[in-house]
Amino acid sequence: MKVLCFGSVNIDHTYRVTHFTAPGETQTCQDYRIGRGGKGFNQALAVRQAGVETYFAGMIGEDGLFVKEFLSERNVDTELLRIAPVPTGHAVIEVDIHGQNRIMLFPGANHRIDTPFIDEVLSHFSAGDIVVLQNEISGLPYIMEESRKKGMTVIFNAAPCGAEVASYPIGMADWLVVNEVEGAYLSGETAYDAIPEALRAKYPGVSVLLTLGGEGCRAVTDTEDISLPAKKVTVVDTTGAGDTFIGYFVKGLVEGMTLRERLSLATAASAVAVTRPGGGDSVPTYEEVLDSGLLSL
Ligand code: RIB
């Protein structure tokens, strides 16, 4: 079973602020750093740091080659991470004193993914393999349809959740992963409790994983409905925590863990991630998760 993360790479420009900058306001930041990010990159790194063999497919510009080198150094297969004649995607991220973030995205090369490239990527995978997707690249409906036709397990993280997502063939996914904002948008329900059922009514047969930050998570499948609380930790930066959660959830899937074990592992890993600054830079290794004392399988 191979794991393909077909997704975005962003160069993250992170600004630490006391509060989110208001319209018309100019705010001086406390800190600024450039890091590796993008939901695709972060999730691929999380799967790999969790100890699972990982294939990454996507597009970067020449300015993003350092990200490719970083992934290769960590033994992520980057044969299918290609260079387009445009800049790499980038994100402008504000992180406030509570560790919450606000993100503005420029897609750049992430939107150069087209049908011939998708066909080439998927030709390397077959039934039983897993594909992990987020909404930061072009061509998603086609990727979902073709992956499903091949019999791959499709995990779709509907983030970020713009109007276009409603038209995607989400019913072809095995797992739909959303946070409270994305879940409310796609389901039309604002009460957290009602989101999974509403999504499952809309997309029959699709298992739903709802992440609620400090409020924990809930997974609903045809046969199970499991909620787990979040771990209590000191939050430094929530950027990339959802991506870490998904990467470790995938590890559990690959290793045949029960749903509860998968959620426990993902909860512990994302709790470690929020204690650190950065998107991709905050993703812990499996050893770090074990050493954190936060894992209770
Ligand atoms: O999920 C966090 C990521 O969202 C950041 O790394 C940023 O690049 C945006 O894509």
Side-chain angles (χ1 to χ4, degrees):
M1 181 195 294
K2 291 182 185 169
V3 177
L4 166 65
C5 294
F6 201 161
S8 56
V9 170
N10 291 326
I11 297 171
D12 286 355
H13 298 261
T14 302
Y15 302 82
R16 216 157 242 289
V17 293
T18 51
H19 58 275
F20 294 144
T21 310
E25 179 190 9
T26 300
Q27 183 179 188
T28 302
C29 305
Q30 273 89 53
D31 186 41
Y32 165 68
R33 63 172 67 201
I34 297 179
R36 294 164 288 255
K39 295 181 195 305
F41 166 86
N42 298 345
Q43 292 178 22
L45 184 62
V47 175
R48 183 67 201 121
Q49 305 251 89
V52 175
E53 194 179 338
T54 311
Y55 296 77
F56 187 78
M59 288 279 178
I60 51 176
E62 294 281 351
D63 56 338
L65 277 171
F66 72 101
V67 182
K68 183 169 177 164
E69 281 160 19
F70 177 86
L71 282 173
S72 300
E73 282 162 14
R74 272 157 184 73
N75 293 317
V76 173
D77 188 307
T78 56
E79 267 307 296
L80 297 165
L81 177 53
R82 299 284 165 77
I83 316 293
V86 292
T88 302
H90 75 253
V92 175
I93 306 174
E94 284 181 295
V95 178
D96 73 7
I97 50 171
H98 306 294
Q100 297 302 317
N101 65 42
R102 193 161 77 157
I103 302 178
M104 191 170 72
L105 274 184
F106 169 71
N110 295 312
H111 277 193
R112 289 298 178 101
I113 290 168
D114 57 15
T115 301
F117 179 58
I118 294 166
D119 287 338
E120 185 198 341
V121 169
L122 294 181
S123 71
H124 295 272
F125 299 89
S126 55
D129 292 340
I130 296 174
V131 60
V132 184
L133 305 166
Q134 323 75 27
N135 188 35
E136 287 188 343
I137 56 171
S138 51
L140 277 164
Y142 186 69
I143 300 174
M144 291 165 96
E145 282 160 8
E146 294 303 304
S147 306
R148 179 67 178 212
K149 272 190 214 160
K150 279 179 163 278
M152 296 174 75
T153 298
V154 179
I155 299 176
F156 177 53
N157 175 210
C161 196
E164 72 287 355
V165 178
S167 69
Y168 288 179
I170 291 176
M172 298 204 168
D174 295 273
W175 280 94
L176 170 62
V177 186
V178 289
N179 67 14
E180 67 275 26
V181 176
E182 295 139 10
Y185 182 82
L186 280 178
S187 68
E189 291 285 350
T190 45
Y192 298 168
D193 286 358
I195 290 173
E197 283 77 10
L199 288 175
R200 282 182 49 78
K202 191 169 172 183
Y203 308 114
V206 177
S207 298
V208 172
L209 175 51
L210 174 66
T211 59
L212 296 166
E215 300 299 313
C217 64
R218 183 171 165 208
V220 184
T221 71
D222 288 342
T223 55
E224 292 179 281
D225 183 348
I226 299 177
S227 296
L228 284 191
K231 299 290 177 184
K232 300 286 175 229
V233 291
T234 302
V235 177
V236 171
D237 183 352
T238 57
T239 312
D243 301 325
T244 299
F245 191 102
I246 292 169
Y248 275 80
F249 183 83
V250 170
K251 172 190 174 73
L253 203 58
V254 170
E255 296 185 359
M257 292 182 190
T258 65
L259 180 55
R260 183 174 292 278
E261 287 169 343
R262 270 178 263 160
L263 296 177
S264 295
L265 177 61
T267 295
S270 58
V272 176
V274 300
T275 63
R276 304 163 162 195
D281 295 337
S282 69
V283 177
T285 62
Y286 187 45
E287 288 67 31
E288 288 170 331
V289 177
L290 294 178
D291 290 347
S292 72
L294 294 168
L295 181 58
S296 43
L297 284 180

